[in-house]
Each structure stands twice: as C-alpha cells, then as structure tokens.
Amino acid sequence: MSFLTPFSGPLLSILRIMSALLFLAHGTTKLLGWPATEMFATPPEPMTLIWFAGVLELVGGALLAVGFMTRPVAFVLSGQMAFAYFLGHATQAFWPVQNGGDAAILYCFVFLYIAAAGGGPWSLDNALAKKA
C-alpha cells in the first residue's frame, strides 16, 4: 500500500485531531455535563480522581487537538489511560471487551504512538518550528 505513503503526515495529524476531539468529549462530559450522560449527571467533586481525569481530558484533549506540546501531552494522556485501565477496568473482569476498557487501551496506545511520532504537519508545534 505504498500509494498511501505521501499521505502519512496528514493522516498522522488527522489521527491526532480526531483522537483528541473524542477524548476532549470525555472531559466536557465529566466537568461540564455536555454532552449529558447518565454516568456523569452531576460534575465530580473538585480534587477527586475523576475530577483530575476530567481536567486532563479537557485540557489535554484541547492541547492535543491543536497540536501544541504534542509529545509531552500525549505521553501524559497515554499514562492516564494506562492508569485508568488498570484502576477502573481491569478490576471488573479480565477481558477488555467484558470490563469496558477497550477504549482506554486504544487511547493509551494511540497517544503513546503520537508521543513518539509527534503531531504531524498540521500541528501548532510544526507551525512554530517552521517560524524558528
């Protein structure tokens, strides 16, 4: 599939943007109640574990969406998802499809890849590097 090779940079940026926007929605649901879900009908108490997760999802998702400080932000978010999986999902059942942790695992590894690969050509990091 070498015909896709010229598109690898833009596709990396699209992967980063779409993953970040989906992740950002988890933060807005937890902290702002939008979009509304039964699980987060009321905002979490400040300084609790779920509140910190929401802050990371909201701020980290926004930074990742625009591609600013992409590598360190993606690395932190990858760690958050590993932590979330083992703390919140793995204790429920062994298989990810049973414990609901498949999204956490995917986010973990997508963010880990982005931490290694960078934000791609359509990122604020790339635009700032070109100016310097």
Side-chain angles (χ1 to χ4, degrees), residues 26-118:
H26 288 275
T28 61
T29 295
K30 283 182 183 87
L31 298 179
L32 308 175
W34 185 86
T37 63
E38 287 181 26
M39 188 172 184
F40 297 106
T42 59
E45 291 293 319
M47 309 306 278
T48 61
L49 202 55
I50 199 80
W51 181 84
F52 279 113
V55 169
L56 282 172
E57 291 161 359
L58 186 70
V59 175
L63 289 172
L64 212 55
V66 298
F68 184 63
M69 297 191 311
T70 303
R71 291 176 192 263
V73 169
F75 187 75
V76 168
L77 296 182
S78 175
Q80 176 198 359
M81 288 294 93
F83 184 78
Y85 179 77
F86 287 109
L87 188 71
H89 297 282
T91 59
Q92 305 299 313
F94 180 76
W95 300 108
V97 84
Q98 291 175 321
N99 65 31
D102 43 357
I105 293 170
L106 278 172
Y107 277 126
C108 178
F109 284 98
V110 166
F111 292 152
L112 188 60
Y113 172 70
I114 292 169

